Each structure stands twice: as C-alpha cells, then as structure tokens.
Amino acid sequence: MMGHEETDVHESREEMESLVLDEPSNGRSSSDNPLLSSASSSFIDRQSPDSSFNTFLDPPSYAEAIFTSFDSSSNGHDESPRLSSNSNPRSSDYLYISVSDPQKEQELSNSLVSGGTTYYTYLITTRTNLPEFGGPGSEFTLRRRFRDVVTLSDRLSESYRGFFIPIRPDKSVVESQVMSKQEFVEQRRVLLERYLRRLAAHPAIRRSEELRVFLEVKGKLPLARSIDVASSVIDGAARLPRQLLGDEAMDVSAKGGRDLLRMFKELKQAMTNDWGGTKPLVVEEDKEFMERKERLVEFEHQLSNVSLQAESLVKSQQDIGETMGELGLAFVKLTKFEMEEALFESQRARATDTKNVATAAVKASRLYRELNAQTVKHLDKLHDYLGIMLAVNNAFADRSSALLTVQTLSSELASLHLRIEKLEAASLKIFGGDRSRIRKIEELKETIRVTEDAKTCAEREYEQIKENNRSELERLDKERHDDFMSMLRGFVVNQAGYAEKMANVWEKLAEETDHL
Amino acid sequence: MITTLMEQQRSVTASSQSPRSPSSQPYLSVSVTDPVKLGNGVQAYVSYRVITRTNLPEYQGPEKIVIRRYSDFIWLRDRLFEKYKGIFIPPLPEKSAVEKFRFSAEFIEMRRQALDIFVNRVASHHELQQSEDLRTFLQADEETMERLRSQETGIFKKKPSDFMQIFKDVQSKVSDVVLGKEKPVEESNPEYEKLKHYIFELENHLAEAQKHAYRLVKRHRELGQSLSDFGKAVKLLGACEGNSLGMAFSELGAKAETLSVKLQKEAHQILMNFEEPLKDYVRAVQSIKATIAERANAFRRHCELAETIKLKEINLNKLSLIRSDRVGEAEMEYNELKAESDEATQTFETIVRLMNEEIVCFQEQKTLDMGTAFHQFAKGQARLANGIADAWRSLLPKLESCSSS
C-alpha cells in the first residue's frame, strides 16, 4: 500500500532536487535525502529535525519534545513507558522476552501419509533475574510453535481463574489466506511477542509455573493439552485440591481425590443432561460488584465506539497526507514543464512560485504521515484495552461459573438429604428394617459427605475468584488511569508538535509568495 | 461580503481606472451581485444583479442596474469571441447540467464570483471594453436581452460537445504537426508550434493540479468530520469514566470538536482562494485553445482564397488573350475575390499580431493571479496549523492537573 506512493514521492524528490540545484541554499535538498533512503516508514530513525526548521522553532518547542520522547520509547520494547517496565518498581526484578527468527519445520508424523505438514517455530529469548527462573541475570532461548502458545493460554485460564489474563493471538486461519505466508508469519511473530510481554507484565502470571516452563524448558512443552474445552467447572474444580490445599499436588490415586473427581464428572454430566442449553440464572449477591460490572459494560461500549472513531480519524489523516503529496507532485511536474518551456520572465517567476508550493506540499505530506504513525501508536492503547475487556469478561465468567458450581452443589446436597428422608420414612414402616433401603441410605450418606467436601472446595474456590476479581479490578483502575492519561497526553503533544511544524512550512511558503 | 482574492485583484485593476476626481479620468466598474433563484423545477435558474458604474459617454448615465442570467453571459462571451478574433476572451464558469438542479449556496456563490471576474476582465481589456455587445449586455432591458439571447445563431449557438469537437480537431492537427505528420493548410511557424504545444500541455498539468486541489478541499472536510465524531465519542467515554480521567477525556473531546469547525472553514477557504483560481487558469487556457482554433480557421481561409486568387488570375490572363467579352465579368469576379482574400489575409494577420500581444499579457497576469492564490493558500494553511497547535497546547496544562490528582 505504501510502496506505490513512496516511489512517486521518490521521483518527485529527485525531480525537486534537480530543480533546487541552482538555488543558493542547498541545505534543504540534502536534508531530504535521509527520507529517500528509508522505504519503510520508520520516521523515528530520523534523529534530528531538518536544520532549516530549527531556525523557525522557538525553544522550548513541543516539536522537540516529541522527538526526544519518542526516540526513547521506540527502541526495543515498543510499549508505553509504564508497561514496558516489566520490572517491579520496588525490587528491580525484570523479565524481558523477545520473539524472533521464524523457521519452517517439518511435522514428524507417524502417519502413512507422505509429505508431512510443515509448521513454523519461533525463537523465544528471555532475560530475567526473577528467582523462579534459576537465579539472577539468567538468559535462555528455545523454540516454540503456535500450538504451544495455545496450550499455555489454556493452562493459564484454568490456573488463574478470576484474573484478567491477557488474551492470546487468534488462530485466524482465514487471514492467512489473504496475505502472503511471510507477512502472516511476521504478523504472528509480532503478536506473540506482544502477548508474552503482557503475560510477563502481569504481577501474578509472571511468576507462574506455566509461563516459566514455556519459556525455559527446552524440547516438547510439558503442559497437558486441553482436550475438553467446556470443562471450566470440572477442570477448575479438579485443580481445587492443589490450589486450596497447598502446592503438593494431591495424590489423585487416593480415594478422596478419586471420589472428588468422579463426583464432579457426574455433576457435569447432570448439568449437561438436565439443562441442555439454558442454565439457571446465577444469582450474584454482591451489589457493589454488580454495579462495577454495569459500569464496565458501559465503559467497554464507549471504548469500542472511540476505537472505531479513532480508526476513522487515522484514515482521514492518512488521506489528507496522501492528497497533499499528490498535489505537491502535480506542482513539481508543472514547475518542470514551465521551466523547460519558458519564453518569458513571468513564466520563470511563476515556476519559482510553483516550485515553492511543491516543496511545501511535499513537506506537509511527510509531516502528516509522521503524525499519523505516531497517532496510531498512541491510539493503539484503546485497542489494547478492548483486549483487556475481553480478559475481564473471562474473569467475570470464571466467577459466574464458580458460583454456579457452589449453587449446584448446594441444591444437589438438598436433594440428597431429601432422598434420605424419604428412604428413612419408608423403611420405618417395615418391621425389622429394610436391608436394601438401609444400604441405600448408607451409600447416600457417603455421597453427601463427598458432596459436602466438594461444596467446601467450591466455596473456597469461589471466594478466591472473588478476591482475584477484586484485586484485579483495583489494578485495572489504576493502570487504566495511568495508561489513558499517558495516551491522551501523548496524543495531544503529538498533534500540537506536528501542527507547529506544519505551520512553519506554510509560513515559509507565505513569505516566499508574498510579492507585494 | 467576503472579499476573495479575485475580487481584491479586480479592485486593484478597477482602481487603476477609478479616478481621484470622479469626472476627469474615464472609468468603467462592474459588479455582479445578489443571486436570486427563480422559476421551478427544470425551468429553475439564477438571476444576478449587474451594476455598472461609469463616466464613459457611450453609457447611459453614471449607474445602471440590470438583471442578467447565466445564458446572457454566454451570449456576451460568444459575441466577443466572434468579433474579437485573436484576443483571449476571458473564460466563463462551466455550464453544469447536474449541479444546476442542486443549486447549492456554495455553487451559486462560486458562479457569481466567476461571472463577476469575467465581466470585469472584459471591462478592463483595452479592446474588449469598447465592444458594443458589452454595452448592450450592461444596459439593455431584460426583454431585449431575452430576444437577443434566443436569436443567437451562427457557429456559437453550439452545444459544449460541438466545442469539444473543434478543440479535438485542433488538438489532433496540432499533435499531427508535433508528431511530424504534416497536413496541408497548416502554418509552419516553429515558434507558433511551440506555443500550441505549450498551451495543450499546460492544460493537462493545470487540470491535474486543480484536481488534487479539489481533493484537498474534500480531505479537509473529511478530517473535520472525523475529528468531530472522534471528539463526540471521547466525550461519551469521559462521561462513563468520571473523576479526573473523565474530565481529561471531556476536554479533549471538546477540543477536537472545536478544531473540526476550523477545518471546515479552511476547506471553504481553499476552495475559494486556491482551487477556484486554478480552475480559472484551466478555463483561460481552454479559451486560448479556442483562439488557436480560430487562427487555424483564418489561416485556412486565407490560404484557400490565396489559391483561388492565383487560379482566377491565371484564368483572367487566359481570358484576356482569347475571349475579351468575358474579361469584364471575370475581372469583377476577380476583384471581389481579391477583396475577400485581402480581408482574409488581414484577419489572419490581425489574429497573429493580437495573439502575440495577448500571450505576453496572459503570462504576466497569470503569474500575478497564481502568486496571490498561492500566498492565500499558504496563509490559510499556516493559520489553520497555528490554530490547531494553539488549541492542543492549551489543553496540556489541564491534562497535567488531571493526572496529578
């Protein structure tokens, strides 16, 4: 998309330079050169503004401020200053991750089908001094494929219920068919890096075993792949023993553990059978939470709208820059034409004017493009937060399903008690007792005991999730405030700075065309 | 009334005529004002007040006001074109079949401005201002004007498509010559060839510049709209945030809406002061092309008659030797033809002379016109950019105070 226009402007600059040659002030033409060289629009690489502009800028100028502030944030980690500190401000621990070097590899397949499929792996480089990763100043690399990332993401969703876990990149099969393989792989690399860095920035997840294993343990990823997708209740509950009773993984072979698992399997089955679609409403009692949630829903809606309008704004800025460039080009051609065909002095004078207009228009066009590149960087924060809202919704869903589990177990218990009552009442009528009924009652009592254990677990889980929600909401509020303030400030400084630069360009043209 | 750059220019040329003591120096000042929409549906049209102020004896009194419509201006242009061959007749704004029905305020104002400039250019041209048709146009009552307008015959009661055909013919002839395909009955004047080539090429370049200028107007409007929508959305987001962040959003949103208005204003300015002068330039070049066509016609006629004369002369000599009784008749014919031929030659040579003068004037005038247009454009853009910079800068202290709370 950019390439075509770049070559046009390329030509125009060359043309312009051949026109400028007989002008005394050549400084300007040479300073245009650095822009010819960069086909990719990494405008930040231009360290100092055109020297000719400096004479027009008053110190201190926001234009200067822009270049300095963006120079620092553009290198390496392209997150805003706050986020890029994957380091705790209190202790200076850090966890830097980068994703690079996509490579195609062959799928080792045991199948009879010859010519196995290929997949891409990415080099993951980690530098950290976190204690979990084996001591200070460690650095390690390994290769992972996208499937591993999906596994990591699934495992985290189960282990960190109630937390705002960053959303992993899409599998997006459709998009890959539209762009070239190279583009797709590069895009995926960027997204993976961004995802892993977000994980590393999350105060709880950065210390997780799952993440450590993903980053550090070479070879096959030692995390179980999720088979049953809709098992948040059962899987979450299955991890309850470990999470609630301590790090020592509960021995699943023990009877209690087995019973627990079996019970949850049956429960899940019952849920699917009985409801087949419409689940009973989960009654959330925490009013404050409900209010928070309402407000977040509204926030998400408005955020989404702003994000849309921001995209439209960026498009308009891009368009005006392009048209300004095309105008400049048309004037370059006009200038060249008049100069070549000039018979009268008035033509030469006019050609000088059109050349100046062309110069100004091309400069302005360049400024618009730079402005836009920066605008995109700032307003991207909006997009990030839309992603975060997805994570929030997931965390709230965790809460709902945990509550559902508790309530389901409660009603299960109630119905069990009821059955025992009925059986006891019935067996009383039989003289000497009813051996089969008595046995049944014993079994039910055993089930009640297990169910009560499960309910206790589920309640603890629910409380934990509620606490996770709460602490995460607090974190979200603070970070959101900081992020958005920084975004707004950056956006405004950017707009002001570039407007000032453009004013300089046009003021110069006004001077040059002031023939009175 | 907003004085556009064109009107400023006009007032300069007019003031060069307007006297210090009103009655001593001759002056002729015209203005086209007060457009009024009349009629209904398909018959709808716009009428303009044309006010003439003069002390020239040929005119009826110091001030005269008449009502004219667009087709009256066309009539005048066509008459001038026919009578003053060789002179670059000032251009008229396009006859637009589509926009006419919409008759937006902007369209009407642009047309009025262009008509005003047209009439003033005619009135300040040393030859054209003496035209009887101009006097008729400026003074005749509406019924007379209507009669004249509907009477219009001759080659200039043509549809635009016919004009295009003439241009195309000239263009193909010119390009043929340029390409070296010599066709008969064409001037072989290398300087003139260069001029023709220049004119045709110039139109292309100017048309492209004008096209992008027009797009730039649209882009300003679009950016204004985007900023406005963005501002509104940001304000809504601010409303559900509350506290200092909410305020920051609201302030930003409000600022964006303010800037949107500035952008719309600048869009209009660019249209009037930059795009329209470029368009005017294109039209002027097209008018020159029409003159080029006229010159080609005149040359052809002059050549044809010269040929015919030669043949007639030979005939006459033959006759004078053999049939003396037919000599008288033949001589008369010959003399008539000679007169015609002389006239044709005269017409042609006048066109050549006039064109040479006109082209110098044209180049100078255009340099002036464009200089002004570019200057206005630069000033407008600088004003806009400064306005934007100031607006955003003024927001920063508020943002600082919001983030610290």
Side-chain angles (χ1 to χ4, degrees):
Chain A
M1 186 234 331
M2 287 292 283
H4 175 69
E5 205 222 333
E6 282 286 352
T7 41
D8 277 358
V9 183
H10 230 89
E11 276 172 26
S12 81
R13 295 225 184 84
E14 285 170 28
E15 288 177 344
M16 269 167 54
E17 262 152 72
S18 63
L19 290 169
V20 168
L21 278 174
D22 51 357
E23 288 273 309
S25 50
N26 268 338
R28 229 157 291 127
S29 61
S30 56
S31 63
D32 279 324
N33 273 324
L35 297 153
L36 285 175
S37 55
S38 61
S40 68
S41 33
S42 56
F43 300 99
I44 309 306
D45 291 333
R46 222 159 40 90
Q47 293 296 316
S48 60
D50 288 342
S51 56
S52 50
F53 282 153
N54 281 336
T55 55
F56 289 95
L57 295 175
D58 299 315
S61 153
Y62 287 104
E64 297 290 350
I66 288 171
F67 282 102
T68 46
S69 71
F70 286 109
D71 280 339
S72 59
S73 68
S74 70
N75 301 318
H77 318 283
D78 62 327
E79 310 270 329
S80 75
R82 194 204 57 76
L83 253 189
S84 72
S85 58
N86 286 326
S87 49
N88 198 319
R90 272 167 280 153
S91 60
S92 58
D93 50 3
Y94 59 87
L95 175 60
Y96 293 144
I97 305 174
S98 70
V99 178
S100 59
D101 189 32
Q103 299 252 352
K104 206 193 265 201
E105 292 186 20
Q106 198 80 14
E107 180 106 58
L108 303 165
S109 163
N110 298 329
S111 75
L112 298 168
V113 179
S114 61
T117 52
T118 57
Y119 60 92
Y120 277 85
T121 61
Y122 303 84
L123 188 71
I124 319 260
T125 311
T126 313
R127 270 196 303 125
T128 177
N129 65 352
L130 290 177
E132 288 87 352
F133 289 85
S138 40
E139 182 170 332
F140 36 86
T141 63
L142 45 58
R143 289 201 154 265
R144 289 280 181 239
R145 58 184 292 184
F146 187 73
R147 213 162 56 183
D148 296 334
V149 175
V150 175
T151 306
L152 170 66
S153 167
D154 292 342
R155 292 280 78 74
L156 287 173
S157 304
E158 290 149 18
S159 304
Y160 287 88
R161 301 178 79 208
F163 284 96
F164 300 165
I165 309 168
I167 311 287
R168 67 156 170 80
D170 282 340
K171 288 176 185 167
S172 66
V173 177
V174 178
E175 266 175 40
S176 70
Q177 284 161 358
V178 176
M179 51 175 82
S180 75
K181 198 66 184 166
Q182 227 179 350
E183 283 173 342
F184 176 72
V185 168
E186 174 56 23
Q187 187 190 74
R188 179 159 274 188
R189 184 200 66 76
V190 169
L191 293 175
L192 287 180
E193 190 175 80
R194 212 187 291 181
Y195 171 63
L196 291 173
R197 286 182 179 170
R198 284 188 184 139
L199 291 181
H202 192 292
I205 291 175
R206 73 203 307 236
R207 317 199 88 102
S208 72
E209 179 67 5
E210 288 87 350
L211 184 61
R212 186 195 72 77
V213 151
F214 179 90
L215 293 174
E216 204 175 5
V217 178
K218 289 202 208 289
K220 186 164 166 350
L221 182 68
L223 293 175
R225 284 183 67 183
S226 197
I227 304 155
D228 192 349
V229 175
S231 62
S232 62
V233 171
I234 177 172
D235 285 352
R239 299 195 82 79
L240 286 175
R242 211 201 95 188
Q243 280 178 330
L244 301 175
L245 310 177
D247 266 337
E248 317 126 354
M250 209 170 120
D251 188 0
V252 180
S253 60
K255 184 176 189 301
R258 266 211 311 276
D259 287 342
L260 212 57
L261 277 175
R262 182 172 48 82
M263 206 229 67
F264 277 118
K265 275 200 173 83
E266 287 167 0
L267 177 66
K268 184 183 171 253
Q269 198 55 50
M271 276 159 66
T272 348
N273 290 345
D274 292 345
W275 300 324
T278 45
K279 293 196 174 127
L281 279 172
V282 176
V283 180
E284 178 63 64
E285 286 137 8
D286 189 345
K287 272 218 162 50
E288 195 186 307
F289 173 73
M290 289 312 282
E291 275 172 27
R292 276 320 267 303
K293 192 166 170 209
E294 288 274 316
R295 274 190 280 136
L296 278 172
V297 166
E298 178 62 15
F299 171 77
E300 188 179 356
H301 174 62
Q302 296 305 340
L303 182 68
S304 175
N305 188 28
V306 171
S307 180
L308 210 69
Q309 298 308 334
E311 269 178 45
S312 165
L313 176 66
V314 163
K315 172 101 191 3
S316 298
Q317 275 181 177
Q318 184 181 321
D319 286 347
I320 197 170
E322 272 177 27
T323 300
M324 193 62 90
E326 285 166 349
L327 181 73
L329 201 68
F331 271 89
V332 165
K333 289 188 197 151
L334 182 61
T335 306
K336 202 164 169 210
F337 171 71
E338 286 274 27
M339 290 297 255
E340 280 169 6
E341 310 263 336
L343 295 168
F344 301 97
E345 192 50 42
S346 56
Q347 281 175 287
R348 272 180 263 272
R350 194 163 65 234
T352 306
D353 272 349
T354 55
K355 188 192 75 181
N356 290 333
V357 171
T359 310
V362 169
K363 278 188 177 144
S365 161
R366 205 177 68 207
L367 288 171
Y368 270 116
R369 276 190 295 166
E370 285 176 32
L371 164 70
N372 217 22
Q374 294 305 312
T375 306
V376 165
K377 275 198 175 141
H378 287 118
L379 297 183
D380 225 18
K381 188 63 60 200
L382 295 167
H383 202 253
D384 286 351
Y385 268 84
L386 283 175
I388 289 173
M389 290 314 295
L390 284 178
V392 172
N393 287 337
N394 287 344
F396 289 173
D398 289 341
R399 182 190 180 118
S400 295
S401 83
L403 181 59
L404 177 64
T405 307
V406 169
Q407 289 173 347
T408 308
L409 286 170
S410 291
S411 72
E412 184 70 11
L413 273 173
S415 75
L416 282 170
H417 278 295
L418 204 62
R419 279 169 69 190
I420 285 179
E421 270 177 42
K422 284 193 179 145
L423 282 173
E424 279 176 344
S427 77
L428 277 176
K429 292 181 181 152
I430 295 169
F431 185 72
D434 182 333
R435 254 209 312 276
S436 72
R437 279 210 178 88
I438 289 170
R439 202 171 42 239
K440 191 77 185 140
I441 288 171
E442 289 306 314
E443 279 174 17
L444 284 176
K445 280 190 172 151
E446 179 61 24
T447 308
I448 284 180
R449 204 181 49 74
V450 174
T451 309
E452 271 170 357
D453 280 347
K455 185 175 160 198
T456 309
C457 268
E459 275 169 343
R460 267 188 250 169
E461 167 81 341
Y462 175 62
E463 288 304 317
Q464 182 63 55
I465 291 177
K466 279 209 307 193
E467 174 55 28
N468 295 345
N469 276 175
R470 196 204 56 75
S471 69
E472 285 281 77
L473 280 171
E474 212 174 272
R475 184 176 71 91
L476 175 69
D477 277 347
K478 170 140 202 325
E479 283 181 13
R480 187 172 81 244
H481 183 271
D482 293 345
D483 281 347
F484 280 161
M485 283 311 298
S486 143
M487 171 187 83
L488 290 180
R489 190 174 180 281
F491 174 79
V492 170
V493 166
N494 193 37
Q495 292 281 335
Y498 278 104
E500 197 179 305
K501 288 191 151 248
M502 276 195 245
N504 290 336
V505 169
W506 296 118
E507 275 161 5
K508 179 154 182 280
L509 180 64
E511 267 177 48
E512 288 166 342
T513 51
D514 193 356
H515 301 311
L516 297 169
Chain B
M1 216 164 64
I2 306 163
T3 351
T4 63
L5 77 98
M6 288 292 197
E7 284 167 332
Q8 281 166 13
Q9 252 201 311
R10 171 175 65 76
S11 64
V12 167
T13 47
S15 66
S16 66
Q17 289 175 339
S18 70
R20 261 170 258 127
S21 54
S23 48
S24 56
Q25 288 203 29
Y27 71 91
L28 175 64
S29 155
V30 189
S31 61
V32 178
T33 64
D34 296 325
V36 175
K37 229 196 283 192
L38 297 171
N40 294 312
V42 188
Q43 309 288 341
Y45 67 96
V46 177
S47 73
Y48 305 87
R49 267 160 65 113
V50 180
I51 306 170
T52 309
R53 291 188 188 87
T54 178
N55 65 353
L56 297 178
E58 300 86 4
Y59 285 82
Q60 314 158 359
E63 185 178 289
K64 180 89 183 177
I65 302 177
V66 294
I67 306 291
R68 293 288 177 256
R69 52 185 290 186
Y70 178 74
S71 22
D72 296 330
F73 288 82
I74 299 269
W75 173 87
L76 177 60
R77 194 268 313 268
D78 292 348
R79 301 290 301 165
L80 292 173
F81 188 74
E82 207 180 316
K83 285 245 174 68
Y84 291 89
K85 298 194 162 82
I87 291 181
F88 301 157
I89 309 298
L92 277 176
E94 290 78 15
K95 212 178 182 62
S96 83
V98 177
E99 276 196 71
K100 186 174 132 137
F101 290 110
R102 277 189 273 135
F103 270 158
S104 68
E106 195 172 74
F107 172 77
I108 291 175
E109 173 54 23
M110 274 168 60
R111 183 170 264 198
R112 185 206 61 78
Q113 195 177 301
L115 293 176
D116 184 279
I117 289 165
F118 165 78
V119 146
N120 273 280
R121 280 178 176 155
V122 173
S124 33
H125 191 285
H126 58 96
E127 291 265 359
L128 297 176
Q129 73 191 187
Q130 294 166 37
S131 149
E132 200 183 304
D133 294 315
L134 175 66
R135 283 199 289 280
T136 309
F137 176 84
L138 292 175
Q139 299 183 110
D141 58 65
E142 280 78 62
E143 291 94 48
T144 312
M145 201 64 233
E146 198 180 323
R147 196 172 17 96
L148 289 169
R149 193 176 65 228
S150 50
Q151 247 175 28
E152 182 59 21
T153 48
I155 64 166
F156 298 107
K157 187 76 174 156
K158 278 180 181 289
K159 299 188 291 291
S161 53
D162 295 334
F163 259 125
M164 281 313 301
Q165 196 49 49
I166 295 175
F167 289 158
K168 285 207 180 80
D169 288 343
V170 179
Q171 197 155 4
S172 69
K173 286 196 177 74
V174 169
S175 55
D176 282 346
V177 172
V178 165
L179 294 170
K181 286 192 280 173
E182 284 287 301
K183 278 204 171 169
V185 204
E186 283 293 329
E187 292 180 60
S188 53
N189 176 346
E191 251 181 57
Y192 182 59
E193 290 309 313
K194 251 190 106 185
L195 176 69
K196 281 193 283 185
H197 181 267
Y198 169 79
I199 290 294
F200 278 79
E201 276 295 302
L202 182 64
E203 189 190 359
N204 293 335
H205 287 297
L206 288 175
E208 196 178 325
Q210 182 260 323
K211 181 176 82 174
H212 292 300
Y214 182 70
R215 277 204 202 138
L216 191 68
V217 172
K218 266 202 336 185
R219 296 301 187 208
H220 277 74
R221 291 192 172 136
E222 285 163 7
L223 183 61
Q225 187 60 51
S226 297
L227 258 180
S228 170
D229 293 339
F230 179 71
K232 289 196 173 79
V234 166
K235 273 161 76 171
L236 286 174
L237 185 64
C240 73
E241 271 287 356
N243 65 38
S244 64
L245 184 59
M247 230 174 52
F249 274 125
S250 297
E251 297 277 353
L252 189 109
K255 208 53 101 173
E257 284 181 314
T258 315
L259 290 176
S260 163
V261 173
K262 278 200 214 283
L263 277 160
Q264 298 295 348
K265 282 211 178 104
E266 175 63 10
H268 181 75
Q269 288 301 309
I270 297 175
L271 182 69
M272 291 305 191
N273 297 340
F274 183 62
E275 193 266 346
E276 193 52 23
L278 277 171
K279 199 115 166 261
D280 176 68
Y281 199 167
V282 174
R283 292 181 197 131
V285 171
Q286 286 169 344
S287 175
I288 297 177
K289 280 164 76 176
T291 306
I292 288 174
E294 270 310 299
R295 175 162 161 165
N297 286 340
F299 181 72
R300 232 192 328 270
R301 184 137 195 279
H302 147 80
C303 286
E304 279 165 13
L305 282 170
E307 280 293 306
T308 316
I309 280 291
K310 278 208 203 94
L311 294 172
K312 271 282 192 277
E313 209 175 318
I314 293 167
N315 240 21
L316 195 61
N317 291 334
K318 269 199 249 166
L319 279 177
S320 63
L321 291 173
I322 47 171
R323 295 274 299 273
S324 51
D325 57 323
R326 291 275 288 272
V327 171
E329 200 186 309
E331 235 175 44
M332 246 173 55
E333 265 179 40
Y334 175 80
N335 288 333
E336 267 174 31
L337 223 51
K338 186 86 171 55
E340 255 184 77
S341 174
D342 288 342
E343 199 193 313
T345 307
Q346 179 79 305
T347 305
F348 172 69
E349 281 169 359
T350 307
I351 291 180
V352 173
R353 176 178 58 80
L354 284 172
M355 275 185 78
N356 288 338
E357 288 168 18
E358 288 278 291
I359 196 73
V360 180
C361 232
F362 169 73
Q363 296 286 23
E364 280 170 14
Q365 189 58 50
K366 276 316 168 194
T367 300
L368 279 175
D369 290 345
M370 283 300 112
T372 312
F374 297 153
H375 185 66
Q376 291 299 322
F377 175 61
K379 276 189 18 191
Q381 288 287 293
R383 194 171 40 232
L384 176 69
N386 278 320
I388 292 175
D390 289 342
W392 289 124
R393 264 189 291 230
S394 72
L395 194 56
L396 278 171
K398 288 189 196 147
L399 287 182
E400 300 295 337
S401 66
C402 281
S403 59
S404 56
S405 62

